[in-house]
Amino acid sequence: MSNPSSISSSKSPNEARHHSQWALHRAITPKLVGILLLVFIALAWSAKNTELDRAAIETGQAIVALTGATDSKVLDSAGRFLDDAFPFTFESSIEVSRIDNFDRDSLPLFSRIESRETREYDAFTETYLTETKEYLVNPIGYLLKVLAKMWESIEMGFWGTVLSVAISIPLGVLGAKNYTPNKLVYTGARTILGFHRAMPELIIALFFVLMYGFGPIAGIFALAMHTSGVLGKFFSDEIENAPEGPQAALKASGAGSLKVLRFAVFPQVFPAYVAYVQYIFERNIRTATILGMVGAGGIGMELKGRWDLFDYSHVSTILLVIFITVMTLEVVSQRIRGRSL
Amino acid sequence: MLQLKSVTKVYPGNTKAVNDITVSIPNGEFCVLLGPSGAGKSTLMGLINGLVLPTSGSVVLNDEQVDARNQKKIQQRISMIHQQLHLIPRLSMLHNVLSGKLYALPLWRVLAKHFPENDQRRACRLLAEVDLTESQLHRRVSALSGGQQQRVAIARAFMARPEIVLADEPVASLDPTVSRSVLASLRHTSKQNNTTVVCSLHQVDYALEFADRIIAMREGKIVFDGPPQRVSESELTNIYGSSDDHKPAAIKAVPQIEREVALA
């Protein structure tokens, strides 16, 4: 029997060592420990920067406060919102005296007249003045208004998607290596798409509000611009990756590029593109709900207004409508996606 | 008339894929190319439709020489049928056949998929010739069987009224029964349209059954050229070599009686 170590030492280092001497895998190495340490330091520094330490402390306090033992700033603030948020405000009311040509005999649908007492402090006489005013109350007036605003957001999402498709198809073709007329056009198309993609909607919306004023136009353009960058890149990549056999077959029969594109590429790329457009549409509706915060139309404008006025019961109505809409959207699009294209 | 005059093709690395071949094929002939893998069959087909340009010699299609300048125009006069078909899976049978003639149509018609009625009629006639039925006309070709798809590919190849149809192992992926009927369709269609067919095959028995003429290649040279009746055991050995291993299974599988019938 030979000693393995003597075998390996008797040979030159280039020659194969006995398997008992092969270098084994080591899970923990000094290099790994060093890297982990550096990562830990970087994370700790970043967490301090972003106040995650305070978040941890206050969240801990809030959890303890849930048991009633202590007070928590976080819970107090949440409580202030929740106290006012419910019940939801569905009704709208307007002072009768402010309505021109008010006709008491033919009220709008569902509406009623209500008398309300208001007490106002008069600083001159240092007394409370009690006054009874008549209000025209519509029990679902506010809900209807919110729904109308929500519908506006949905429409913004729709038109944003339509414009986005219209922009992304030509740019997508020009940005596909195999169908672009030349390198310059390719670079140009890809650059435009990249720029569109890189600009966040809220920032684009700010500029369009500046240009077109408050309202849905700014929101639609912002959505179209950002998502055309996303859709266009996707379309370009899909065209580049389309199966080459059918294209080669049509080219060999003498068909020009556009014809090949129409016949051998579009039909193949279509299902993936439609699925993507559907996703973008869904996403655009969600985004359209917040674009109003910068004045770009839709339900976000109403939300921002009510939030700034601390009208939390109105805010909760808006949130309820948004929540129901988004859930419905999710269910509907799941159904559609389930069908094979 | 397709003429190859002393055509030689040398690939980089000094591989002579096709070595000094002279052959002429009259219009309307159903011509089968035989030979082991690497014999130069695909290169020969490439030379005919201008995808491969000869190192020396010339290819002449109805008095017009195939060269770099008229490559594109020549390709419009020649159709290919590939082993992998290259149909467009999500388009209907009808549109796949029509796609064989895109070059001749104005762009707007192609973009709008608005085809002239006579083109559509011709596509239907071709589909009927390859034994496909109206019930499948508007179905996606991805829903068809392999044999049916190959028939669609044949119909597409004839759509543009080509002078020559090149078929590169058109039945390689089909089972024997389907292969036979597909080849029968190809032959029938070519006779109906009086179109020359050059078809490479691996199965000698199919070649014997369907060809007007068999051209066999080995190492870039033609080793047999004649009607199927003249193919004998010794000729086959000459083509595929003496070792049985190099012969396709079909040769060994063809029973002696059947071969005698074919040779008779």
Side-chain angles (χ1 to χ4, degrees), chain A residues 245-246 249-256 258-260 262-264 267-268 270-271 341, chain B residues 72 75-76 86-91 95 99 102-103 105 107 110-111 113 115 140 156:
Chain A
L250 292 195
K251 264 180 217 154
S253 73
L258 275 177
K259 293 177 180 175
V260 175
R262 174 70 183 87
F263 253 73
Q268 295 310 112
F270 187 68
L341 280 159
Chain B
K72 199 95 203 147
Q75 278 168 17
Q76 293 174 0
H86 295 325
L87 295 173
I88 300 135
R90 291 181 48 86
L91 285 187
H95 280 120
S99 78
L102 293 185
Y103 75 90
L105 291 168
L107 183 62
V110 176
L111 294 184
K113 276 202 201 172
F115 290 92
R140 284 183 185 163
R156 176 174 73 175

Side-chain angles (χ1 to χ4, degrees), chain B residues 127-140:
Chain B
L127 284 167
E129 277 174 17
V130 293
D131 284 329
L132 288 165
T133 54
E134 190 186 356
S135 62
Q136 294 144 323
L137 191 60
H138 299 288
R139 281 178 70 192
R140 284 183 185 163

Side-chain angles (χ1 to χ4, degrees), chain B residues 147-169:
Chain B
Q148 288 170 326
Q149 291 191 12
Q150 189 56 280
R151 290 163 196 275
V152 175
I154 291 170
R156 176 174 73 175
F158 283 90
M159 183 65 207
R161 300 177 198 278
E163 290 156 48
I164 298 182
V165 169
L166 300 174
D168 196 358
E169 287 173 34

Side-chain angles (χ1 to χ4, degrees), chain A residues 244-250, chain B residues 82-89 96 153 156:
Chain A
E244 292 192 10
Q247 299 177 50
L250 292 195
Chain B
H82 304 264
Q83 184 184 333
Q84 299 89 346
L85 310 181
H86 295 325
L87 295 173
I88 300 135
N96 263 288
R156 176 174 73 175

Side-chain angles (χ1 to χ4, degrees), chain A residues 5-260:
Chain A
S5 64
S6 70
I7 291 174
S8 69
S9 61
S10 68
K11 290 178 179 173
S12 71
N14 286 342
E15 274 181 65
R17 289 193 288 186
H18 187 265
H19 65 76
S20 64
Q21 306 220 317
W22 291 0
L24 302 179
H25 169 71
R26 289 168 64 200
I28 301 166
T29 60
K31 190 177 156 196
L32 180 71
V33 172
I35 290 173
L36 285 178
L37 199 67
L38 282 177
V39 168
F40 180 77
I41 291 170
L43 287 178
W45 175 76
S46 173
K48 181 78 189 160
N49 258 354
T50 50
E51 293 189 79
L52 280 184
D53 48 345
R54 187 167 73 86
I57 292 166
E58 292 188 1
T59 308
Q61 282 173 349
I63 292 168
V64 175
L66 280 178
T67 63
T70 54
D71 281 342
S72 156
K73 213 172 72 186
V74 174
L75 277 194
D76 287 352
S77 305
R80 221 177 308 140
F81 173 77
L82 290 175
D83 284 347
D84 293 347
F86 300 104
F88 298 109
T89 297
F90 286 166
E91 68 171 32
S92 63
S93 56
I94 183 167
E95 240 178 276
V96 168
S97 58
R98 293 192 184 189
I99 305 172
D100 295 333
N101 307 323
F102 182 66
D103 183 358
R104 205 164 279 275
D105 297 324
S106 66
L107 297 177
L109 198 63
F110 304 127
S111 297
R112 62 175 191 272
I113 294 173
E114 226 171 65
S115 299
R116 289 177 187 171
E117 237 173 41
T118 52
R119 248 159 59 107
E120 268 174 43
Y121 183 69
D122 190 329
F124 286 109
T125 58
E126 294 190 4
T127 50
Y128 283 99
L129 297 175
T130 310
E131 203 181 344
T132 306
K133 285 180 180 167
E134 275 187 327
Y135 286 87
L136 177 68
V137 177
N138 184 336
I140 52 164
Y142 188 65
L143 183 65
L144 289 177
K145 184 185 174 186
V146 169
L147 286 174
K149 284 287 172 189
M150 186 70 236
W151 180 245
E152 187 178 278
S153 279
I154 294 173
E155 284 177 310
M156 280 166 61
F158 171 76
W159 284 110
T161 310
V162 169
L163 286 184
S164 165
V165 168
I167 300 170
S168 71
I169 287 181
L171 281 179
V173 171
L174 296 177
K177 264 196 203 94
N178 43 353
Y179 284 92
T180 194
N182 59 53
K183 185 90 185 146
L184 196 72
V185 173
Y186 168 79
T187 315
R190 286 277 180 166
T191 309
I192 294 172
L193 290 177
F195 177 71
H196 283 191
R197 211 162 50 243
M199 298 292 286
E201 279 114 336
L202 275 173
I203 293 171
I204 309 173
L206 278 176
F207 282 98
F208 280 120
V209 167
L210 204 65
M211 292 160 68
Y212 291 90
F214 293 110
I217 303 174
I220 291 170
F221 282 4
L223 291 172
M225 189 165 156
H226 177 76
T227 54
S228 66
V230 181
L231 268 182
K233 179 180 161 43
F234 177 80
F235 197 41
S236 292
D237 292 349
E238 283 290 306
I239 292 175
E240 285 175 4
N241 295 328
E244 292 192 10
Q247 299 177 50
L250 292 195
K251 264 180 217 154
S253 73
S257 293
L258 275 177
K259 293 177 180 175
V260 175

